[in-house]
Amino acid sequence: MTESLETDVIVLGAGAAGENAAGRVVGAGLESIIVESALVGGECSYWACMPSKALLRPGTALAEASAVDGSREAVSGSLDVPAVLRRRDSFTSNWDDASQVQWVKDTGIGLVRGRARLTGERTVEVTDDAGTRVTITARHAVVLATGSVPVEPPVDGLADVEYWGTREATSSSEVPGSLLVLGGGVAGTELAQAYARLGSKVSLVARHGVLDSLPAPAAKLVIDALEADGVEIHGNTSPERISRDESGAIVMDLPGGRRLAGDRLLVSTGRRPALDGLGLEELGLDPNSLRTDDSGLVAGAANWLYAVGDAAGKVLLTHQGKYEARATGSAIAARAHGEIGFGEPPAYSRFASTADHTAVPQVVFTDPEIAMVGLSPKDASARGIRVSETSLPLSVAGSSLFADGYTGWAQMVVDEDRGIPVGFTFAGPGVAELLHAATIAVTGQVPLDRLWHAVPAYPTISEVWLRLLEKYGL
Protein backbone atom coordinates (compact mmCIF):
# COMPACT_ATOMS: atom_id res chain seq x y z
CA MET A 1 0.00 0.00 0.00
CA THR A 2 1.06 3.59 -0.62
CA GLU A 3 0.09 6.26 1.88
CA SER A 4 -0.75 9.72 0.53
CA LEU A 5 0.03 12.99 2.29
CA GLU A 6 -0.40 16.64 1.37
CA THR A 7 1.40 19.71 2.67
CA ASP A 8 2.37 23.20 1.56
CA VAL A 9 6.13 22.67 1.19
CA ILE A 10 8.16 19.47 0.94
CA VAL A 11 11.83 19.71 1.90
CA LEU A 12 14.14 16.90 0.79
CA GLY A 13 16.94 16.69 3.35
CA ALA A 14 17.00 17.39 7.09
CA GLY A 15 20.45 18.92 7.29
CA ALA A 16 21.12 22.49 8.37
CA ALA A 17 19.79 23.99 5.12
CA GLY A 18 16.69 21.80 5.03
CA GLU A 19 15.84 22.53 8.65
CA ASN A 20 16.16 26.26 8.05
CA ALA A 21 14.00 26.18 4.92
CA ALA A 22 11.25 24.19 6.64
CA GLY A 23 11.45 26.26 9.80
CA ARG A 24 11.13 29.46 7.82
CA VAL A 25 7.98 28.45 5.95
CA VAL A 26 6.35 27.04 9.07
CA GLY A 27 7.19 30.26 10.90
CA ALA A 28 5.35 32.13 8.15
CA GLY A 29 2.18 30.10 8.64
CA LEU A 30 2.60 27.31 6.07
CA GLU A 31 2.82 23.57 6.57
CA SER A 32 5.96 21.61 5.76
CA ILE A 33 7.22 18.03 5.71
CA ILE A 34 10.92 17.13 5.72
CA VAL A 35 12.05 13.89 4.09
CA GLU A 36 15.28 12.34 5.38
CA SER A 37 16.89 8.93 4.87
CA ALA A 38 19.73 9.37 7.39
CA LEU A 39 20.22 11.33 10.61
CA VAL A 40 18.17 14.47 11.14
CA GLY A 41 20.68 17.27 11.44
CA GLY A 42 22.74 16.32 8.42
CA GLU A 43 26.41 16.30 7.52
CA CYS A 44 27.51 19.31 9.55
CA SER A 45 26.13 18.01 12.84
CA TYR A 46 27.56 14.50 12.65
CA TRP A 47 30.40 14.27 10.14
CA ALA A 48 31.67 17.71 9.13
CA CYS A 49 31.69 21.10 10.87
CA MET A 50 31.10 20.04 14.47
CA PRO A 51 33.20 16.87 14.84
CA SER A 52 36.09 18.19 12.73
CA LYS A 53 36.34 21.38 14.80
CA ALA A 54 36.02 19.32 17.99
CA LEU A 55 39.03 17.27 16.84
CA LEU A 56 41.01 20.41 16.04
CA ARG A 57 40.28 22.55 19.08
CA PRO A 58 42.19 20.60 21.78
CA GLY A 59 45.40 20.72 19.75
CA THR A 60 44.94 24.44 19.14
CA ALA A 61 44.25 25.10 22.82
CA LEU A 62 47.39 23.20 23.80
CA ALA A 63 49.44 25.12 21.24
CA GLU A 64 48.04 28.44 22.49
CA ALA A 65 48.98 27.62 26.07
CA SER A 66 52.45 26.57 24.93
CA ALA A 67 52.92 29.82 23.00
CA VAL A 68 52.84 32.12 26.04
CA ASP A 69 55.73 32.41 28.47
CA GLY A 70 54.39 31.64 31.91
CA SER A 71 51.73 29.22 30.79
CA ARG A 72 54.02 27.06 28.67
CA GLU A 73 55.85 26.06 31.84
CA ALA A 74 52.60 24.62 33.18
CA VAL A 75 52.01 22.51 30.06
CA SER A 76 53.31 18.99 30.16
CA GLY A 77 52.57 15.86 28.20
CA SER A 78 50.51 15.53 25.05
CA LEU A 79 46.84 15.40 24.15
CA ASP A 80 44.67 12.85 25.95
CA VAL A 81 43.39 11.10 22.82
CA PRO A 82 40.48 9.19 24.45
CA ALA A 83 39.31 12.44 26.08
CA VAL A 84 39.50 14.27 22.74
CA LEU A 85 37.44 11.56 21.04
CA ARG A 86 34.88 11.54 23.88
CA ARG A 87 34.50 15.30 23.59
CA ARG A 88 34.11 14.96 19.82
CA ASP A 89 31.42 12.33 20.37
CA SER A 90 29.52 14.68 22.68
CA PHE A 91 29.27 17.27 19.93
CA THR A 92 27.66 14.71 17.63
CA SER A 93 25.30 13.52 20.40
CA ASN A 94 26.99 10.15 19.82
CA TRP A 95 25.41 10.09 16.34
CA ASP A 96 21.92 10.01 17.86
CA ASP A 97 19.48 12.44 16.25
CA ALA A 98 16.76 12.27 18.94
CA SER A 99 17.20 15.90 19.96
CA GLN A 100 17.08 17.10 16.35
CA VAL A 101 13.96 15.02 15.71
CA GLN A 102 12.40 16.62 18.77
CA TRP A 103 13.24 20.07 17.41
CA VAL A 104 11.48 19.20 14.15
CA LYS A 105 8.43 18.03 16.06
CA ASP A 106 8.38 21.03 18.40
CA THR A 107 8.67 23.41 15.46
CA GLY A 108 5.59 21.88 13.86
CA ILE A 109 7.36 20.31 10.92
CA GLY A 110 6.38 16.85 9.71
CA LEU A 111 9.06 14.19 9.23
CA VAL A 112 8.98 11.25 6.83
CA ARG A 113 11.91 8.82 6.85
CA GLY A 114 13.11 7.31 3.59
CA ARG A 115 14.60 7.93 0.17
CA ALA A 116 12.81 10.52 -1.93
CA ARG A 117 12.20 10.74 -5.65
CA LEU A 118 10.35 13.39 -7.62
CA THR A 119 7.60 11.71 -9.60
CA GLY A 120 5.83 14.75 -11.02
CA GLU A 121 5.10 18.40 -10.45
CA ARG A 122 5.08 19.06 -6.67
CA THR A 123 4.95 15.30 -6.05
CA VAL A 124 7.47 13.18 -4.16
CA GLU A 125 7.51 9.43 -3.53
CA VAL A 126 9.34 8.25 -0.41
CA THR A 127 10.47 4.66 0.11
CA ASP A 128 11.76 3.50 3.49
CA ASP A 129 14.08 0.58 4.26
CA ALA A 130 11.12 -1.79 4.61
CA GLY A 131 9.84 -0.90 1.14
CA THR A 132 6.88 1.10 2.40
CA ARG A 133 6.00 3.97 0.11
CA VAL A 134 4.53 7.36 0.87
CA THR A 135 3.43 9.82 -1.79
CA ILE A 136 3.54 13.46 -0.72
CA THR A 137 2.04 16.30 -2.72
CA ALA A 138 3.02 19.92 -2.13
CA ARG A 139 0.53 22.73 -2.61
CA HIS A 140 3.29 25.27 -3.22
CA ALA A 141 6.87 24.05 -3.47
CA VAL A 142 9.49 21.32 -3.18
CA VAL A 143 12.91 22.27 -1.84
CA LEU A 144 16.03 20.25 -2.62
CA ALA A 145 18.31 20.34 0.42
CA THR A 146 20.05 17.03 -0.16
CA GLY A 147 23.58 18.26 0.50
CA SER A 148 26.66 17.01 -1.30
CA VAL A 149 28.73 13.86 -1.72
CA PRO A 150 32.49 13.35 -2.06
CA VAL A 151 34.17 13.33 -5.45
CA GLU A 152 36.37 10.27 -5.96
CA PRO A 153 39.48 11.14 -7.98
CA PRO A 154 40.40 8.94 -10.95
CA VAL A 155 43.43 7.22 -9.40
CA ASP A 156 44.39 3.74 -10.53
CA GLY A 157 43.60 1.19 -7.83
CA LEU A 158 41.71 3.55 -5.51
CA ALA A 159 38.37 1.82 -6.02
CA ASP A 160 39.90 -1.46 -4.85
CA VAL A 161 41.21 -0.05 -1.55
CA GLU A 162 39.13 0.67 1.52
CA TYR A 163 39.73 4.29 2.45
CA TRP A 164 38.36 7.07 4.60
CA GLY A 165 36.31 9.95 3.33
CA THR A 166 35.82 12.93 5.60
CA ARG A 167 32.91 11.11 7.28
CA GLU A 168 35.10 8.25 8.41
CA ALA A 169 37.91 10.59 9.44
CA THR A 170 35.72 12.80 11.63
CA SER A 171 33.92 9.85 13.27
CA SER A 172 36.81 7.42 13.72
CA SER A 173 37.28 5.78 17.11
CA GLU A 174 40.96 5.23 16.39
CA VAL A 175 43.98 7.38 15.67
CA PRO A 176 46.05 5.47 13.10
CA GLY A 177 49.78 5.23 13.53
CA SER A 178 50.23 6.66 10.04
CA LEU A 179 47.80 8.46 7.77
CA LEU A 180 48.00 9.33 4.09
CA VAL A 181 45.90 12.33 3.08
CA LEU A 182 44.99 12.85 -0.58
CA GLY A 183 43.80 16.43 -1.08
CA GLY A 184 45.21 19.79 -0.04
CA GLY A 185 41.98 21.72 0.29
CA VAL A 186 40.32 22.94 3.46
CA ALA A 187 39.01 19.61 4.79
CA GLY A 188 42.16 17.65 3.94
CA THR A 189 44.39 20.28 5.52
CA GLU A 190 42.32 20.59 8.69
CA LEU A 191 42.15 16.83 9.22
CA ALA A 192 45.84 16.38 8.43
CA GLN A 193 46.71 18.76 11.26
CA ALA A 194 44.14 17.30 13.63
CA TYR A 195 45.49 13.77 13.25
CA ALA A 196 49.11 14.89 13.34
CA ARG A 197 48.47 16.54 16.69
CA LEU A 198 46.64 13.44 17.90
CA GLY A 199 49.74 11.37 17.20
CA SER A 200 49.52 10.10 13.60
CA LYS A 201 52.46 10.31 11.23
CA VAL A 202 50.76 12.21 8.40
CA SER A 203 51.74 12.54 4.74
CA LEU A 204 49.67 14.93 2.62
CA VAL A 205 49.58 14.74 -1.18
CA ALA A 206 48.06 17.66 -3.08
CA ARG A 207 47.47 17.80 -6.82
CA HIS A 208 48.35 21.49 -6.76
CA GLY A 209 49.59 23.42 -3.75
CA VAL A 210 48.16 23.18 -0.24
CA LEU A 211 45.26 25.65 0.03
CA ASP A 212 46.34 26.95 -3.38
CA SER A 213 43.07 28.82 -4.00
CA LEU A 214 43.82 31.13 -1.06
CA PRO A 215 46.30 34.03 -0.92
CA ALA A 216 49.82 32.61 -0.95
CA PRO A 217 51.09 34.43 2.20
CA ALA A 218 48.15 33.06 4.20
CA ALA A 219 48.55 29.52 2.84
CA LYS A 220 52.30 29.64 3.56
CA LEU A 221 51.61 30.23 7.27
CA VAL A 222 49.48 27.09 7.38
CA ILE A 223 52.01 25.04 5.40
CA ASP A 224 54.76 26.06 7.82
CA ALA A 225 52.55 25.06 10.76
CA LEU A 226 51.72 21.69 9.22
CA GLU A 227 55.39 20.95 8.69
CA ALA A 228 56.14 22.03 12.26
CA ASP A 229 53.53 19.48 13.37
CA GLY A 230 55.39 16.80 11.42
CA VAL A 231 53.15 16.64 8.36
CA GLU A 232 55.11 15.56 5.28
CA ILE A 233 53.78 17.58 2.33
CA HIS A 234 53.98 16.48 -1.30
CA GLY A 235 52.61 19.37 -3.31
CA ASN A 236 51.95 19.69 -7.04
CA THR A 237 51.78 15.94 -7.47
CA SER A 238 49.21 13.22 -7.99
CA PRO A 239 49.48 9.51 -7.14
CA GLU A 240 49.95 7.17 -10.08
CA ARG A 241 48.54 4.19 -8.23
CA ILE A 242 47.14 3.26 -4.82
CA SER A 243 47.23 -0.31 -3.53
CA ARG A 244 47.56 -2.41 -0.38
CA ASP A 245 50.75 -4.39 0.17
CA GLU A 246 51.23 -7.80 1.78
CA SER A 247 51.52 -6.30 5.26
CA GLY A 248 48.14 -4.59 4.90
CA ALA A 249 49.57 -1.09 4.56
CA ILE A 250 48.12 1.27 1.99
CA VAL A 251 50.73 2.23 -0.58
CA MET A 252 50.67 5.36 -2.71
CA ASP A 253 52.99 5.39 -5.73
CA LEU A 254 54.04 8.91 -6.72
CA PRO A 255 55.82 10.07 -9.89
CA GLY A 256 59.54 9.51 -10.04
CA GLY A 257 59.45 6.21 -8.16
CA ARG A 258 58.56 7.77 -4.82
CA ARG A 259 56.39 5.63 -2.56
CA LEU A 260 54.37 6.45 0.58
CA ALA A 261 52.80 3.92 2.95
CA GLY A 262 50.27 4.35 5.73
CA ASP A 263 47.83 2.52 7.96
CA ARG A 264 44.93 4.59 6.68
CA LEU A 265 44.15 6.70 3.64
CA LEU A 266 41.93 9.79 3.76
CA VAL A 267 40.62 11.01 0.40
CA SER A 268 39.40 14.61 0.48
CA THR A 269 39.32 15.89 -3.10
CA GLY A 270 36.15 17.93 -3.22
CA ARG A 271 32.39 17.48 -3.16
CA ARG A 272 29.50 17.80 -5.61
CA PRO A 273 25.74 18.32 -5.17
CA ALA A 274 23.92 15.13 -4.12
CA LEU A 275 21.25 15.13 -6.82
CA ASP A 276 21.53 11.61 -8.22
CA GLY A 277 18.43 9.42 -8.08
CA LEU A 278 16.00 12.25 -7.36
CA GLY A 279 14.16 11.95 -10.68
CA LEU A 280 15.31 15.30 -12.04
CA GLU A 281 16.04 13.86 -15.48
CA GLU A 282 12.42 12.72 -15.87
CA LEU A 283 11.36 16.32 -15.25
CA GLY A 284 13.65 17.55 -18.02
CA LEU A 285 16.31 18.87 -15.64
CA ASP A 286 20.03 18.06 -15.76
CA PRO A 287 21.33 17.38 -12.23
CA ASN A 288 24.84 18.28 -13.39
CA SER A 289 23.90 21.81 -14.41
CA LEU A 290 21.09 22.87 -12.09
CA ARG A 291 20.69 26.64 -12.01
CA THR A 292 18.84 28.71 -9.42
CA ASP A 293 18.05 32.38 -8.97
CA ASP A 294 18.75 34.23 -5.73
CA SER A 295 15.53 32.95 -4.17
CA GLY A 296 16.65 29.38 -4.85
CA LEU A 297 14.09 28.85 -7.63
CA VAL A 298 15.32 26.24 -10.12
CA ALA A 299 15.34 27.38 -13.73
CA GLY A 300 13.01 25.36 -15.96
CA ALA A 301 10.91 23.92 -13.11
CA ALA A 302 7.72 25.95 -13.59
CA ASN A 303 7.98 27.96 -10.37
CA TRP A 304 7.69 25.15 -7.84
CA LEU A 305 11.13 23.57 -7.40
CA TYR A 306 13.86 25.17 -5.30
CA ALA A 307 17.39 24.17 -4.27
CA VAL A 308 19.43 25.38 -1.29
CA GLY A 309 22.76 24.69 0.37
CA ASP A 310 25.21 22.26 -1.20
CA ALA A 311 22.45 20.89 -3.42
CA ALA A 312 22.27 24.26 -5.18
CA GLY A 313 25.99 24.04 -5.93
CA LYS A 314 26.73 27.73 -5.33
CA VAL A 315 28.69 27.90 -2.09
CA LEU A 316 29.34 24.62 -0.29
CA LEU A 317 29.48 26.04 3.24
CA THR A 318 27.01 25.27 6.03
CA HIS A 319 26.42 28.84 7.17
CA GLN A 320 25.88 30.00 3.60
CA GLY A 321 23.47 27.13 2.95
CA LYS A 322 21.44 28.12 6.01
CA TYR A 323 21.40 31.70 4.74
CA GLU A 324 20.16 30.56 1.33
CA ALA A 325 17.52 28.41 3.00
CA ARG A 326 16.20 31.34 5.03
CA ALA A 327 15.89 33.44 1.88
CA THR A 328 14.20 30.59 0.02
CA GLY A 329 11.77 29.86 2.84
CA SER A 330 10.83 33.53 3.05
CA ALA A 331 10.35 33.73 -0.73
CA ILE A 332 8.18 30.61 -0.85
CA ALA A 333 5.95 31.91 1.95
CA ALA A 334 5.68 35.38 0.42
CA ARG A 335 4.75 33.90 -2.96
CA ALA A 336 2.20 31.59 -1.36
CA HIS A 337 0.62 34.61 0.33
CA GLY A 338 0.68 36.64 -2.89
CA GLU A 339 3.14 39.19 -1.52
CA ILE A 340 5.78 38.85 -4.26
CA GLY A 341 5.90 37.39 -7.76
CA PHE A 342 8.22 34.81 -9.32
CA GLY A 343 10.76 37.17 -10.84
CA GLU A 344 14.28 37.63 -9.50
CA PRO A 345 13.87 39.05 -5.99
CA PRO A 346 15.36 42.46 -5.17
CA ALA A 347 19.01 42.31 -4.14
CA TYR A 348 19.58 42.38 -0.38
CA SER A 349 15.91 41.72 0.31
CA ARG A 350 15.02 38.94 2.75
CA PHE A 351 14.00 36.85 -0.27
CA ALA A 352 17.43 36.91 -1.97
CA SER A 353 20.77 35.29 -1.14
CA THR A 354 22.69 38.26 -2.55
CA ALA A 355 25.70 37.67 -0.31
CA ASP A 356 26.49 34.52 -2.32
CA HIS A 357 27.93 36.86 -4.94
CA THR A 358 29.64 39.48 -2.79
CA ALA A 359 30.30 38.53 0.83
CA VAL A 360 30.81 34.83 1.51
CA PRO A 361 32.68 34.32 4.82
CA GLN A 362 34.91 31.28 5.21
CA VAL A 363 37.31 30.04 7.87
CA VAL A 364 40.04 27.44 7.61
CA PHE A 365 40.18 26.14 11.19
CA THR A 366 43.80 25.08 11.14
CA ASP A 367 46.29 26.61 13.56
CA PRO A 368 46.96 29.29 12.40
CA GLU A 369 43.50 30.06 11.06
CA ILE A 370 42.66 31.69 7.75
CA ALA A 371 39.50 33.83 7.68
CA MET A 372 38.28 35.53 4.55
CA VAL A 373 35.25 37.26 3.09
CA GLY A 374 34.35 38.89 -0.20
CA LEU A 375 36.43 39.12 -3.34
CA SER A 376 40.10 38.52 -3.99
CA PRO A 377 41.94 41.05 -6.17
CA LYS A 378 41.80 38.56 -9.06
CA ASP A 379 38.06 37.91 -8.68
CA ALA A 380 37.27 41.60 -8.35
CA SER A 381 39.30 42.48 -11.45
CA ALA A 382 37.53 39.73 -13.40
CA ARG A 383 34.25 41.47 -12.59
CA GLY A 384 35.57 44.75 -13.98
CA ILE A 385 36.15 46.35 -10.59
CA ARG A 386 39.13 48.68 -10.33
CA VAL A 387 40.73 47.52 -7.11
CA SER A 388 43.71 48.13 -4.91
CA GLU A 389 45.29 45.62 -2.55
CA THR A 390 46.72 46.49 0.84
CA SER A 391 48.48 43.80 2.86
CA LEU A 392 50.85 43.59 5.79
CA PRO A 393 52.11 41.27 8.52
CA LEU A 394 49.68 41.00 11.41
CA SER A 395 51.90 42.51 14.06
CA VAL A 396 50.14 44.67 16.66
CA ALA A 397 50.14 44.93 20.44
CA GLY A 398 47.13 42.64 20.66
CA SER A 399 48.77 39.88 18.65
CA SER A 400 52.02 40.06 20.62
CA LEU A 401 50.00 39.63 23.82
CA PHE A 402 48.03 36.76 22.30
CA ALA A 403 51.14 34.66 21.71
CA ASP A 404 54.90 35.05 21.95
CA GLY A 405 56.31 35.16 18.44
CA TYR A 406 52.85 35.64 16.91
CA THR A 407 52.97 35.47 13.11
CA GLY A 408 50.06 36.55 10.93
CA TRP A 409 49.05 38.33 7.74
CA ALA A 410 46.18 40.58 6.66
CA GLN A 411 44.85 41.84 3.33
CA MET A 412 42.22 44.41 2.33
CA VAL A 413 40.82 44.71 -1.20
CA VAL A 414 39.23 48.07 -2.08
CA ASP A 415 36.90 49.10 -4.90
CA GLU A 416 38.65 52.35 -5.83
CA ASP A 417 35.74 53.79 -7.79
CA ARG A 418 33.37 53.52 -4.83
CA GLY A 419 35.85 53.80 -1.98
CA ILE A 420 34.57 50.68 -0.23
CA PRO A 421 36.22 47.42 0.85
CA VAL A 422 35.14 44.37 -1.16
CA GLY A 423 37.33 41.71 0.44
CA PHE A 424 39.41 40.83 3.50
CA THR A 425 41.72 37.98 4.44
CA PHE A 426 43.24 37.42 7.88
CA ALA A 427 45.70 34.66 8.74
CA GLY A 428 47.05 33.87 12.18
CA PRO A 429 46.07 32.35 15.52
CA GLY A 430 42.60 33.42 16.65
CA VAL A 431 41.71 35.47 13.56
CA ALA A 432 38.36 33.75 12.95
CA GLU A 433 36.84 36.15 15.48
CA LEU A 434 37.83 39.09 13.25
CA LEU A 435 35.74 37.81 10.38
CA HIS A 436 32.25 39.00 11.20
CA ALA A 437 33.36 42.62 11.43
CA ALA A 438 34.87 42.25 7.98
CA THR A 439 31.68 40.59 6.71
CA ILE A 440 29.62 43.52 7.97
CA ALA A 441 31.98 46.01 6.32
CA VAL A 442 31.78 44.23 2.95
CA THR A 443 28.06 43.47 3.05
CA GLY A 444 27.19 46.96 4.30
CA GLN A 445 29.49 48.55 1.71
CA VAL A 446 30.95 50.75 4.44
CA PRO A 447 32.96 53.64 2.92
CA LEU A 448 36.59 53.68 4.00
CA ASP A 449 36.33 57.25 5.30
CA ARG A 450 33.56 56.04 7.63
CA LEU A 451 35.36 52.80 8.51
CA TRP A 452 38.27 54.97 9.67
CA HIS A 453 36.08 56.06 12.59
CA ALA A 454 35.47 52.48 13.78
CA VAL A 455 38.18 52.57 16.43
CA PRO A 456 39.59 49.14 17.35
CA ALA A 457 39.96 48.45 21.06
CA TYR A 458 43.51 48.40 22.41
CA PRO A 459 45.23 45.99 22.84
CA THR A 460 43.40 43.48 20.63
CA ILE A 461 44.22 41.71 17.39
CA SER A 462 41.57 43.97 15.81
CA GLU A 463 44.18 46.73 15.80
CA VAL A 464 45.14 45.29 12.42
CA TRP A 465 42.14 47.18 10.99
CA LEU A 466 43.81 50.45 11.89
CA ARG A 467 47.12 49.31 10.42
CA LEU A 468 45.45 48.32 7.13
CA LEU A 469 43.69 51.68 6.84
CA GLU A 470 46.85 53.57 7.70
CA LYS A 471 48.86 51.70 5.10
CA TYR A 472 46.08 52.34 2.59
CA GLY A 473 46.61 56.06 3.22
CA LEU A 474 43.96 57.20 5.66
Side-chain angles (χ1 to χ4, degrees):
M1 294 180 62
T2 301
E3 182 182 0
S4 296
L5 301 173
E6 187 176 16
T7 190
D8 289 319
V9 180
I10 304 169
V11 178
L12 306 187
E19 288 179 334
N20 271 264
R24 203 74 169 182
V25 298
V26 167
L30 300 181
E31 296 177 354
S32 182
I33 291 175
I34 288 180
V35 180
E36 178 56 65
S37 61
L39 295 179
V40 174
E43 199 77 14
C44 181
S45 296
Y46 305 106
W47 299 287
C49 324
M50 298 306 290
S52 66
K53 306 313 170 279
L55 288 174
L56 282 160
R57 180 56 192 161
T60 300
L62 181 62
E64 287 176 349
S66 301
V68 177
D69 196 17
S71 64
R72 72 166 58 93
E73 289 77 9
V75 177
S76 62
S78 56
L79 292 174
D80 183 330
V81 173
V84 171
L85 298 183
R86 285 195 302 272
R87 184 173 186 268
R88 182 273 317 271
D89 294 351
S90 73
F91 279 98
T92 67
S93 300
N94 291 290
W95 293 275
D96 183 338
D97 66 356
S99 63
Q100 300 259 22
V101 171
Q102 189 63 46
W103 177 87
V104 169
K105 180 180 178 181
D106 292 345
T107 307
I109 302 167
L111 174 64
V112 174
R113 299 274 195 174
R115 298 172 300 282
R117 184 177 181 84
L118 296 160
T119 56
E121 185 170 321
R122 298 185 180 86
T123 304
V124 173
E125 184 179 84
V126 183
T127 306
D128 67 15
D129 291 339
T132 303
R133 295 182 179 180
V134 177
T135 297
I136 314 173
T137 303
R139 288 182 282 270
H140 296 292
V142 176
V143 181
L144 305 179
T146 48
S148 59
V149 292
V151 173
E152 182 177 293
V155 179
D156 185 28
L158 179 60
D160 301 322
V161 173
E162 182 181 354
Y163 63 86
W164 281 355
T166 53
R167 274 195 171 204
E168 291 77 16
T170 58
S171 60
S172 175
S173 60
E174 64 158 332
V175 174
S178 54
L179 175 67
L180 306 179
V181 179
L182 180 57
V186 174
T189 304
E190 288 180 348
L191 289 168
Q193 186 173 54
Y195 273 93
R197 289 182 165 183
L198 287 169
S200 292
K201 182 182 183 301
V202 179
S203 299
L204 186 151
V205 177
R207 181 179 179 185
H208 301 294
V210 173
L211 300 174
D212 70 314
S213 65
L214 308 186
K220 179 65 163 56
L221 292 176
V222 174
I223 292 169
D224 289 346
L226 290 173
E227 291 178 337
D229 285 330
V231 177
E232 183 181 297
I233 296 175
H234 301 266
N236 300 301
T237 190
S238 296
E240 295 179 338
R241 178 173 174 76
I242 294 175
S243 59
R244 192 177 289 275
D245 67 15
E246 294 179 355
S247 70
I250 296 174
V251 176
M252 185 182 291
D253 291 314
L254 303 181
R258 293 175 295 167
R259 172 170 281 198
L260 303 175
D263 298 323
R264 291 282 185 180
L265 167 65
L266 164 61
V267 177
S268 179
T269 51
R271 301 181 70 86
R272 61 177 178 83
L275 300 174
D276 295 342
L278 295 179
L280 292 170
E281 296 89 344
E282 288 80 352
L283 298 174
L285 299 171
D286 182 356
N288 297 313
S289 60
L290 212 64
R291 293 183 296 107
T292 63
D293 69 8
D294 282 350
S295 71
L297 190 64
V298 174
N303 296 337
W304 62 272
L305 185 64
Y306 295 76
V308 298
D310 286 11
K314 294 179 179 178
V315 183
L316 275 62
L317 295 168
T318 297
H319 49 268
Q320 212 69 14
K322 292 163 69 174
Y323 161 73
E324 293 169 5
R326 293 191 294 270
T328 292
S330 294
I332 290 171
R335 286 163 177 161
H337 295 317
E339 297 169 0
I340 64 171
F342 282 94
E344 185 78 47
Y348 293 108
S349 69
R350 61 190 178 94
F351 314 117
S353 55
T354 310
D356 279 352
H357 309 291
T358 59
V360 175
Q362 180 179 354
V363 179
V364 183
F365 285 96
T366 48
D367 176 24
E369 297 169 334
I370 302 178
M372 68 210 93
V373 65
L375 304 177
S376 68
K378 180 179 178 181
D379 291 338
S381 297
R383 297 187 185 193
I385 301 172
R386 187 172 67 90
V387 297
S388 67
E389 184 265 2
T390 300
S391 60
L392 43 72
L394 206 169
S395 179
V396 295
S399 63
S400 63
L401 284 167
F402 188 94
D404 299 339
Y406 187 104
T407 303
W409 182 80
Q411 179 191 63
M412 177 175 67
V413 183
V414 174
D415 180 337
E416 288 296 329
D417 292 327
R418 295 187 293 162
I420 63 171
V422 294
F424 288 93
T425 299
F426 303 102
V431 297
E433 299 304 329
L434 298 178
L435 187 57
H436 195 58
T439 303
I440 292 170
V442 172
T443 305
Q445 302 178 19
V446 180
L448 290 182
D449 57 3
R450 179 61 61 88
L451 193 59
W452 172 252
H453 295 280
V455 182
Y458 180 89
T460 67
I461 299 176
S462 292
E463 292 171 68
V464 69
W465 285 80
L466 173 59
R467 301 295 171 240
L468 283 169
L469 293 172
E470 285 181 328
K471 185 172 182 181
Y472 177 79
L474 292 179

